[in-house]
Amino acid sequence: MSVLTVLYDADCGVCSHTARLLVRTDKQARLRLVSIQSARLPDMPPRAELMEVLHARDESGRWFQGAAASVEIARRIPIARPLTLYAKLPFAMAILDMMYRSFAANRHAISRMLGLKACQVPAGPRGAATRP
């Protein structure tokens, strides 16, 4: 199985915590975690788009985003593989994507609620940063 490059928001507590957890559980080194803030990949989407939802790129250059990226990660982490089975059910990806996008839109507030580091710049429309 190819290595999947996963881009995460280093300014998001939940994202950073999840990235650390993935590194610890990735015993076969199938994931490469890279912060969006330092990423330099070929054909990379614009940073504003990357900040909206999780993005991952496989070695063949295919990009995955949102719930599809989560499922690709799960394919490479044995403990998370049941998610890949659920994703095969009718309408499951639409449900997963809706849930994922809701979570992603609120990830900084969730980070603060959990006592994790959170970006101090509030997000404006479609994830664009606004001045405080």
Side-chain angles (χ1 to χ4, degrees):
M1 185 173 292
S2 68
V3 172
L4 186 71
T5 299
V6 179
L7 302 182
Y8 70 95
D9 180 2
D11 290 332
C12 168
V14 170
C15 303
S16 295
H17 182 77
T18 302
R20 287 189 300 275
L21 180 64
L22 287 172
V23 167
R24 283 197 308 264
T25 58
D26 183 19
K27 303 297 183 200
Q28 296 176 332
R30 292 181 173 168
L31 300 176
R32 179 176 162 245
L33 283 287
V34 179
S35 73
I36 293 168
Q37 291 80 355
S38 67
R40 304 284 181 269
L41 298 173
D43 68 344
M44 193 166 78
R47 289 215 189 277
E49 185 178 324
L50 292 172
M51 295 301 284
E52 288 182 19
V53 295
L54 176 67
H55 281 72
R57 183 181 187 272
D58 69 13
E59 289 179 335
S60 69
R62 287 184 304 164
W63 283 93
F64 304 90
Q65 65 177 358
S70 296
V71 171
E72 285 302 310
I73 291 168
R75 288 181 62 225
R76 290 158 174 84
I77 304 292
I79 197 166
R81 284 202 186 118
L83 177 63
T84 65
L85 299 174
Y86 174 75
K88 292 178 182 179
L89 296 173
F91 307 108
M93 283 306 295
I95 294 166
L96 286 172
D97 204 51
M98 182 179 61
M99 290 170 52
Y100 177 82
R101 287 184 181 277
S102 177
F103 176 84
N106 295 291
R107 69 188 187 275
H108 294 293
I110 293 167
S111 293
R112 284 189 291 276
M113 283 185 348
L114 296 174
L116 300 170
K117 178 182 91 170
C119 180
Q120 298 303 308
V121 179
R126 297 192 47 88
T130 58
R131 292 226 184 272

